[in-house]
Amino acid sequence: MCVGRRAFAYIKYVQIMKKIAIITARSGSKGLRNKNMLMVDGKPVLAYSIEAALDSGIFDKIILTTDSQEYIDFLSYYPIDFVKRAPHLATDKASSYQVLEDVLLRYSWYDYDYFALLQPTTPMRTAQHCIDVCRAFEERYEDFDFLASVTEASKPTVLTHVIDEDLSMKHWSIDYSNYYRQMYPTEYSANGVFYIAKPEAYLQQKHFYGARSMAYKMDKFVSVDIDTRHDFEYFYFLMQQSKREELLLAQAKREIKLKDACFGLLADVSLLGGSLLALFDHSEYTSLRIQNLAITAALADPYRSLVLQREDLTLAKKVVLDLGRDDLRKGKGSPKEIAHRVEGVLELLLQRDSEIKVCLLECLKGLFRVDYDNTQVQVLNELLQAISQKYERVHWVSLNEHFVDSYGKLSRIYTSDGLNLNTQGYDRLYEILSPILKP
């Protein structure tokens, strides 16, 4: 058996059954060429299914069946079995049943309790998904011969019909004037992530559905199925999003590297924190020496370690701090947790020098942003203002009263993307900060 990192957790909950994972990967694809081998984050799409199966540690064998010797050579470093298909199984007319039958007959299917089909075009499955679905099937092993993963359908069947050549919508026959989705029960469609079957039952029935098949519900997030370039680009985007912390940290380090010369600068004012100050043009303050150590994606904890704890850091006696907004936008905890981290930064600044005074900026609200909830911004600001009042050397700077519209959102006069300030916004910020920054 292939033993993976998660095997112990699986063994703890369910009995051991012999099982194999079969991954099918034909090289020819009319919709998207080489879709199984397109590279994402340093490895082909196909590798995501292989690694999920390996890391789960629950399969006695993992078998890749393909018509491509190139695929086999490319992936030969994985400790799995490879089956080179016969020519008649390499065409787009060969059914999935024929391909699976070929594998089952080669591998003495009667030696296994069941097999799992992992299609490489659904690469969002993880090792934990493999563990969970196999556990679910084994718990109902006496009740079902098959399992198919499903996800909630995007539209009910009452909204899905054929259209004849005359383009008439005659098949839409219900009274849609009174239609609302809640009238109908939730419907599901197969998402292709998992198919499981007892070998003998599958060889007899030749498919995975019916009364003896168990539905396994999965989130839509996992249900990406790559068939077109648009599908692939969506998967690529999701993988980049899953690495956003790593990417943000790398971005922060690059920005800080560019500001190395500023760390030892003797200044009248130090600007610290996030994008609001990082993009602030302070060149008009000709009479002030300004040290700008703000970066465009300043999460409180990394900023503290990468900037504020550097040995070569010298700060002015007056500090302007913009922090908390990026944490909230990136989902780095509740407003209370974020406020606690910001307070930790404040204490670190105040402890550096008994003469340092900090101007803590209110977090600006947003305008119709999916990643920025103004209700949460309001809560965070209330917490931060209360924290500022605990320290004599911390001054709270209200901003939203100058920037929001009559609906309590960042005015479109001052922003182009609903989050960051435009030129007019920064002109307004300059007016607000000028009296604060005066010596």
Side-chain angles (χ1 to χ4, degrees):
M1 177 179 287
C2 301
V3 179
R5 295 186 292 271
R6 302 178 186 268
F8 178 77
Y10 176 72
I11 293 169
K12 181 178 178 182
Y13 289 106
V14 299
Q15 64 190 51
I16 297 299
M17 290 187 177
K18 295 195 71 177
K19 47 194 166 286
I20 57 176
I22 302 175
I23 302 171
T24 55
R26 189 171 65 85
S27 59
S29 175
K30 294 180 179 178
L32 181 63
R33 286 190 61 194
N34 298 313
K35 64 182 179 182
N36 292 319
M37 294 297 288
L38 294 176
M39 300 295 286
V40 178
D41 196 22
K43 57 190 175 186
V45 168
L46 181 49
Y48 286 84
S49 296
I50 295 173
E51 292 182 3
L54 283 170
D55 285 349
S56 72
I58 61 175
F59 295 107
D60 294 87
K61 282 188 181 295
I62 300 168
I63 305 160
L64 172 64
T65 169
T66 179
D67 62 315
S68 172
Q69 187 61 44
E70 183 180 12
Y71 287 14
I72 294 173
D73 293 342
F74 193 97
L75 300 164
S76 60
Y77 57 89
Y78 284 113
I80 64 175
D81 289 8
F82 296 91
V83 171
K84 178 71 180 297
R85 296 182 199 173
H88 74 282
L89 297 176
T91 68
D92 56 2
K93 293 182 179 180
S95 68
S96 59
Y97 168 75
Q98 290 174 302
V99 173
L100 292 173
E101 179 191 39
D102 176 61
V103 174
L104 292 173
L105 293 179
R106 287 173 185 251
Y107 281 84
S108 303
W109 58 264
Y110 40 80
D111 289 337
Y112 299 98
D113 296 293
Y114 64 92
F115 71 90
L117 169 61
L118 310 180
Q119 299 184 118
T121 51
T122 52
M124 291 297 291
R125 80 173 65 76
T126 64
Q128 189 62 51
H129 290 134
C130 294
I131 292 170
D132 292 344
V133 73
C134 287
R135 178 170 63 228
F137 183 67
E138 292 188 19
E139 288 174 349
R140 302 293 302 276
Y141 190 81
E142 299 302 321
D143 302 321
F144 296 103
D145 296 327
F146 309 92
L147 176 147
S149 59
V150 299
T151 192
E152 187 174 334
S154 57
K155 295 185 182 300
T157 49
V158 71
L159 295 179
T160 307
H161 299 287
V162 297
I163 297 178
D164 296 333
E165 290 184 5
D166 64 358
L167 301 183
S168 167
M169 299 185 75
K170 53 183 174 288
H171 300 295
W172 276 259
S173 57
I174 71 168
D175 179 9
Y176 287 96
S177 65
N178 293 314
Y179 169 82
Y180 56 95
R181 184 165 185 170
Q182 291 73 18
M183 293 170 58
Y184 300 92
T186 302
E187 295 180 309
Y188 294 86
S189 58
N191 66 358
V193 178
F194 289 106
Y195 291 103
I196 290 177
K198 299 173 184 176
E200 183 174 11
Y202 180 76
L203 291 171
Q204 290 176 356
Q205 180 172 287
K206 302 183 181 182
H207 64 81
F208 295 93
Y209 301 104
R212 293 287 296 173
S213 182
M214 172 184 173
Y216 184 76
K217 298 177 182 179
M218 301 188 76
D219 292 337
K220 287 189 177 182
F221 176 80
V222 186
S223 303
V224 175
D225 189 0
I226 299 174
D227 189 48
T228 66
R229 179 166 180 162
H230 179 271
D231 299 330
F232 172 75
E233 290 176 347
Y234 179 54
F235 169 60
Y236 188 91
F237 167 76
L238 291 177
M239 294 309 298
Q240 295 305 303
Q241 286 294 99
S242 69
K243 295 174 54 184
R244 63 181 180 177
E245 287 192 26
E246 180 183 336
L247 294 172
L248 284 171
L249 183 59
Q251 177 185 336
K253 288 181 177 179
R254 285 194 298 271
E255 290 189 47
I256 292 166
K257 183 68 176 175
L258 293 173
K259 296 191 175 189
D260 271 352
C262 297
F263 277 81
L265 185 67
L266 295 176
D268 300 305
V269 179
S270 296
L271 305 182
L272 304 178
S275 55
L276 183 67
L277 294 178
L279 302 174
F280 180 58
D281 181 9
H282 52 79
S283 59
E284 294 188 38
Y285 293 105
T286 53
S287 61
L288 290 176
R289 294 171 299 171
I290 294 183
Q291 174 195 44
N292 193 339
L293 293 176
I295 59 177
T296 56
L299 303 179
D301 283 344
Y303 190 80
R304 174 175 180 156
S305 60
L306 294 174
V307 176
L308 301 181
Q309 293 180 330
R310 275 186 45 161
E311 293 182 0
D312 59 341
L313 175 64
T314 300
L315 290 176
K317 302 301 182 184
K318 182 178 290 185
V319 170
V320 180
L321 179 64
D322 162 47
L323 210 56
R325 189 167 68 142
D326 291 320
D327 286 76
L328 191 61
R329 192 166 71 87
K330 298 300 180 183
K332 305 302 291 184
S334 66
K336 185 176 181 180
E337 292 168 329
I338 296 169
H340 178 72
R341 291 197 291 269
V342 174
E343 183 172 16
V345 170
L346 281 173
E347 290 181 346
L348 179 64
L349 291 172
L350 297 175
Q351 290 167 6
R352 286 184 64 92
D353 189 326
S354 60
E355 296 183 24
I356 281 183
K357 295 182 179 180
V358 180
C359 296
L360 179 59
L361 302 185
E362 182 180 26
C363 294
L364 278 178
K365 291 186 176 181
L367 175 65
F368 295 121
R369 293 282 301 200
V370 70
D371 58 349
Y372 199 58
D373 183 351
N374 280 342
T375 303
Q376 296 291 295
V377 177
Q378 181 64 34
V379 174
L380 176 59
N381 280 330
E382 290 172 0
L383 292 168
L384 292 178
Q385 185 173 15
I387 288 170
S388 71
Q389 294 170 352
K390 294 165 56 177
Y391 303 93
E392 285 187 12
R393 290 184 284 135
V394 177
H395 171 62
W396 176 253
V397 181
S398 297
L399 294 180
N400 282 308
E401 62 185 79
H402 305 284
F403 286 98
V404 300
D405 59 21
S406 59
Y407 297 98
K409 298 179 177 67
L410 179 60
S411 173
R412 63 180 180 176
I413 297 172
Y414 299 123
T415 183
S416 299
D417 61 4
L419 180 72
N420 297 297
L421 295 181
N422 58 19
T423 302
Q424 286 179 272
Y426 273 108
D427 288 344
R428 188 75 182 100
L429 183 64
Y430 179 86
E431 295 172 2
I432 297 166
L433 293 185
S434 289
I436 297 171
L437 297 181
K438 285 180 179 179

